[in-house]
Amino acid sequence: MTLQQLLYFVAVANVRSFTRAADQSGVSQPTLSRALRSLETELGSPLVNRGTTVTLTPAGEVVLPLARRMLADAEMARTTVAELVGLQRGRVRIGATPSLCIGVLADVLRVFHQRHPEIHVELAEDGSQPLVTDLVRGDLDIALVIVPPDGVDPALHTSPLLRERLSVASPRGRRPLTTRGSMSVAELSRHSLVMVRQGYDLREVTLRAYAVAGVTPRIAVEGGQMDAVLRMVEAGTGVAVVPDLVFAGRPRLRRTILTPALHRTVALARRADIAPSPAVTAFADTLLEHLSETEVRDGIATDVQVLPRHRTGRELLE
């Protein structure tokens, strides 16, 4: 059994297509098929049902998480050794929601790159639900995700970082939504809403708040990414419920506080069964430092509560 065989098997399992798996792996389809056949022969059982639709056999379902773990461990060994011997080939794969990319990660990654220019950073920007999936599959090393009411996948280790308030964004060039500076969800329901696409926790939080208030949202546009939602609000298409952090640097947006307040918790998540690499730990150190400095410099505690912090990235990740 070789890591290359496992890599081909995982590629087929991910895309459920021999052709696409071969393209993504940079090999011909016959080469990939032969390697997978050899793996199946060694294991004594087919892993894949070959037909019009590619599916996994019961043996394939059992082997898949083990194969992903073995590949992740092998990559961790390569990365860790490279960092320790100074080969300048370190890598960290980071995920975050668009609002956190805007409000937190931009400055963190700038400082991280200045301190560790030898570490290659891969950034994935998506909703919390797809990011959790990528973490569990081993496609990301670490991610800033939103903690849902029923908790995060038990396969992940999570450390809460921030408790962030959600407010209503409206175009500053139009009349204020209220003269009081705050509004209820019932009052908000009278206005057209711009809604992010499925996969974003913000969508579920917003819809849940409407349901609790016993009102129905009037959705003008739905399905956009965060930046598109903010631009549509600025253009006057509608209003949106967004995290407070996104208002920084957006002078064309007006913020109106919701009463009762809506909050969400941001956590740093990683695979619980894979030890963090030195590059991941260094990123966590930079992130903690940034949060501490931001709280003091910008006074964000009125809008964003920095949760009880760890002193080092290693403490945060353990």
Side-chain angles (χ1 to χ4, degrees):
M1 183 187 305
T2 67
L3 290 175
Q4 195 65 57
Q5 291 171 329
L6 294 176
L7 184 65
Y8 293 157
F9 166 60
V10 170
V12 172
N14 284 344
V15 300
R16 303 302 168 105
S17 165
F18 279 80
T19 301
R20 284 192 290 153
D23 288 342
Q24 291 182 4
S25 302
V27 298
S28 67
Q29 183 173 335
T31 297
L32 183 143
S33 296
R34 284 194 299 270
L36 186 51
R37 285 287 188 191
S38 177
L39 176 61
E40 291 173 323
T41 299
E42 184 173 351
L43 292 176
S45 173
L47 301 178
V48 176
N49 293 312
R50 295 161 173 81
T52 304
T53 302
V54 176
T55 60
L56 298 184
T57 66
E61 295 285 358
V62 171
V63 170
L64 181 58
L66 300 175
R68 285 175 171 158
R69 169 68 185 276
M70 293 170 69
L71 291 171
D73 286 345
E75 176 63 23
M76 181 67 67
R78 283 191 292 266
T79 301
T80 301
V81 171
E83 291 171 350
L84 290 176
V85 301
L87 295 180
Q88 299 186 347
R89 284 166 39 195
R91 180 185 71 163
V92 58
R93 300 167 300 172
I94 303 168
T97 64
S99 62
L100 293 170
C101 283
I102 296 170
V104 176
L105 271 195
D107 288 334
V108 172
L109 292 181
R110 173 182 55 80
V111 174
F112 180 78
H113 178 66
Q114 290 173 348
R115 293 177 177 174
H116 309 283
E118 72 282 1
I119 303 299
H120 176 66
V121 176
E122 296 178 10
L123 178 62
E125 183 180 2
D126 212 330
S128 278
Q129 296 170 24
L131 290 176
V132 166
T133 299
D134 288 344
L135 279 171
V136 172
R137 288 173 50 169
D139 294 335
L140 291 175
D141 299 311
I142 199 165
L144 288 166
V145 300
I146 310 305
V147 180
D150 54 352
V152 181
D153 192 299
L156 301 180
H157 173 279
T158 58
S159 297
L161 291 174
L162 303 170
R163 186 169 183 264
E164 185 178 15
R165 187 176 62 194
L166 305 178
S167 298
V168 180
S170 62
R172 186 168 291 277
R174 304 287 181 89
R175 292 178 55 186
L177 301 179
T178 175
T179 59
R180 303 191 311 275
S182 65
M183 65 190 308
S184 66
V185 174
E187 292 173 303
L188 176 62
S189 67
R190 302 169 191 159
H191 301 271
S192 297
L193 197 64
V194 180
M195 181 75 76
V196 292
R197 67 172 176 81
Q198 290 187 352
Y200 284 83
D201 71 287
L202 192 59
R203 179 189 182 92
E204 280 65 41
V205 170
T206 302
L207 294 177
R208 193 180 304 117
Y210 272 80
V212 169
V215 292
T216 302
R218 297 169 50 188
I219 299 179
V221 179
E222 64 177 328
Q225 302 274 11
M226 176 59 70
D227 187 64
V229 166
L230 296 178
R231 290 181 182 275
M232 283 187 279
V233 172
E234 290 173 338
T237 306
V239 302
V241 177
V242 298
D244 277 359
L245 282 174
V246 305
F247 287 96
R250 292 268 183 176
R252 296 174 60 191
L253 291 179
R254 185 191 308 275
R255 178 172 60 183
T256 303
I257 298 170
L258 281 168
T259 52
L262 287 180
H263 292 90
R264 66 179 191 175
T265 298
V266 179
L268 192 64
R270 65 170 180 84
R271 275 271 294 272
D273 59 343
I274 300 177
S277 70
V280 170
T281 302
F283 167 77
D285 280 328
T286 307
L287 175 63
L288 286 176
E289 181 180 315
H290 170 78
L291 293 178
S292 176
E293 291 179 350
T294 301
E295 184 180 26
V296 173
R297 183 178 67 246
D298 298 335
I300 65 171
T302 56
D303 304 325
V304 180
Q305 177 188 0
V306 179
L307 298 175
R309 65 176 62 84
H310 304 264
R311 290 172 294 179
T312 66
R314 184 165 299 279
E315 288 183 2
L316 178 67
L317 296 169
E318 293 178 346

